[in-house]
Structure formats: C-alpha cells, structure tokens
Amino acid sequence: MICAVKGPGAARRYRAALGGGPTACSLGARCAAFAGLPASGWRFFTGGEGAEPFALAVRGAAAQLAGRADPEELALLLEMLKVRELRMEQGAPPRGWQPARELAVFGLAPGGRLPQPPAPAGFCLETEPSLWEVADLLARGRELGEAGAQARDNFYADACAMKNRGLACIWAARFESCLAATAGAYAMWGGQACLAAVETEEKLRHKGAGRWLVAGLANYLAQQGLGVSLLCAPGRERFYQALGLEKRGSAVCWRPKAP
C-alpha cells in the first residue's frame, strides 16, 4: 500500500529507502526541504507499515523513485497524479510504462580530487552568486530554455529554499559584467552532493568555463567529506569523463506507453 509521507513513521520508512546515488540524494534533500509545505508543489510517498520501504517524490508531471514499489499500485498512483515521467536507478518500473531515455551516473568519492583546469582568461569565480541571475542564465540556455517562465520561477524558488536550508551549494563565473557560467549542487543530503544545471552563456562557450567550474565545485565538495554525483544526459559523457569523474551506472526515465 502506498501512503503519503505524514508523521514520523512514514518519514522513517521514506528515509530507509534512500541509499546512494543522485536520485536518493535528491529525494532526501527535497523531502527535508519541502515535506509539509504543500504550496511548494512537492508531494512525497512511501510504503505502508510492514511493507518494503521506497521513496517517491512527485512535482507536476515528473517524479523520482528510490527503492521498490509495487508496479501496479505505482502505475495507478502516477496515473491519478497525472505524472508523465518517472526517474529511477533500480527496481521494477510502473506497470505499462516504457524506457524513454537513459542518463549516465558519474561520481567522485569523498576526499577525492579531480585535476583542476586553470581559470579561463577574463572569468571570475563567484561562490555566492545571485540566484535570480543563475535562474535567468539557465532559462536562456539548454537547461531550462524550452520550459518557459514558470519553470524558471519554480527553479529560482526551489534553489532559494534549498540554499537557505544548507541543502545546496551553487557557484557561478562572471565575465565582465555578465554572469556567464554556473554549476551547482542542488541537493546535499546524507553525505552526498548531487551536481546539476551546468550551463555557460552561448557566446562564451568553448573557453573552458564549464570544466573549470565543475572540477572546482566537485573538488570543494569532496574535500568537505561529501560523495559527489551527477546525472549526465546523452551526448555529454565525454565531457565528464575528461574531467576525471568515474562512471557508476545509469538512471532510466520511464514514460507511460501510448494507448
């Protein structure tokens, strides 16, 4: 039986399902930040008392899952919530769903260190950038460019909430007066940090700013004793392999089969 995360018992079962990897880190951090805040749009679910624990987070048409939920019950719940995409790293998918895309998982162990590229000429590091400028940069680029103003506003609100609770670490680089590149750990939980939203202003790409930022932020987090992970979209694997990150598996995004 699937139940909403309300009360200490359900919260305990939810946390028990969280192992390693970027999906578990994201699920743990978002539950810590947004459980009990329905205005955030996040909803959290787990198994009933005595059932095998799992952790499910839903917002809008997207969901993330760690652990093993009953495929038929899961499909019914996601249909009721109008979810159209589910990301998971293990377990059985919802009944009647099919794989849509696969994301490579890369990581760096706690205390590890990547070779640090030099700072590109003219770029200046900001470890406490304006989050609105970061969201605006992402909205103009590949990360949020096709999602619209509402996605930018949601991203900004989430980033502020996570940062204010110590659950995120976001860096950026400025070139002259322009916020030109960014990379961030948008979930930090359970000794892990999950990197995401790596973006460079289009006219300033291919100067090494992204490599410099990602390596620097990953090294900083690893030296704080955190395991660093990220999900890589198809076509970007060589970028992260060249930085020295280790490939550790994959996550699959599932969607309902067409009727």
Side-chain angles (χ1 to χ4, degrees):
M1 177 180 178
I2 298 176
C3 63
V5 175
K6 295 180 180 179
R12 184 172 57 253
R13 295 194 299 276
Y14 182 98
R15 290 192 298 268
L18 301 176
T23 300
C25 178
S26 175
L27 286 163
R30 279 163 177 76
C31 189
F34 301 115
L37 299 176
S40 70
W42 285 98
R43 302 177 68 178
F44 304 94
F45 302 88
T46 189
E49 188 70 45
E52 185 174 3
F54 64 87
L56 174 68
V58 176
R59 190 187 201 189
Q64 303 172 42
L65 174 69
R68 302 177 186 279
D70 178 87
E72 188 168 345
E73 287 187 4
L74 181 59
L76 291 172
L77 175 65
L78 297 179
E79 181 181 10
M80 181 181 71
L81 297 175
K82 297 181 169 55
V83 172
R84 304 303 298 167
E85 182 169 285
L86 172 69
R87 190 182 84 208
M88 52 192 293
E89 294 175 45
Q90 60 180 2
R95 182 74 54 83
W97 287 48
Q98 62 187 359
R101 58 193 175 112
E102 186 172 317
L103 306 173
V105 176
F106 284 88
L108 177 67
R113 187 165 185 84
L114 303 175
Q116 179 62 61
F123 286 80
C124 178
L125 178 65
E126 291 192 4
T127 59
E128 295 288 340
S130 158
L131 297 186
W132 179 252
E133 285 187 277
V134 169
D136 192 56
L137 171 62
L138 295 172
R140 298 196 306 273
R142 293 167 292 200
E143 187 70 23
L144 298 175
E146 298 179 359
Q150 187 60 55
R152 178 200 59 196
D153 294 349
N154 288 342
F155 181 93
Y156 171 70
D158 279 8
C160 289
M162 300 289 277
K163 184 75 167 56
N164 291 340
R165 290 168 171 80
L167 299 169
C169 180
I170 301 161
W171 283 12
R174 194 171 293 277
F175 185 83
E176 297 177 347
S177 61
C178 170
L179 194 79
T182 187
Y186 286 89
M188 296 166 60
W189 186 87
Q192 304 175 74
C194 183
L195 299 188
V198 178
E199 186 67 73
T200 301
E201 185 77 45
E202 185 173 9
K203 64 183 179 182
L204 295 171
R205 290 174 188 165
H206 310 299
K207 297 180 181 294
R211 293 190 295 274
W212 172 57
L213 271 180
V214 172
L217 180 56
N219 287 338
Y220 170 78
L221 294 167
Q223 294 309 307
Q224 308 304 306
L226 298 173
V228 180
S229 61
L230 62 87
L231 289 166
C232 172
R236 298 284 289 168
E237 291 94 340
R238 292 178 62 184
F239 174 86
Y240 294 109
Q241 288 172 329
L243 284 175
L245 289 163
E246 176 188 357
K247 189 172 181 179
R248 295 181 172 174
S250 63
V252 178
C253 295
W254 297 82
R255 291 180 180 167
K257 293 180 182 177

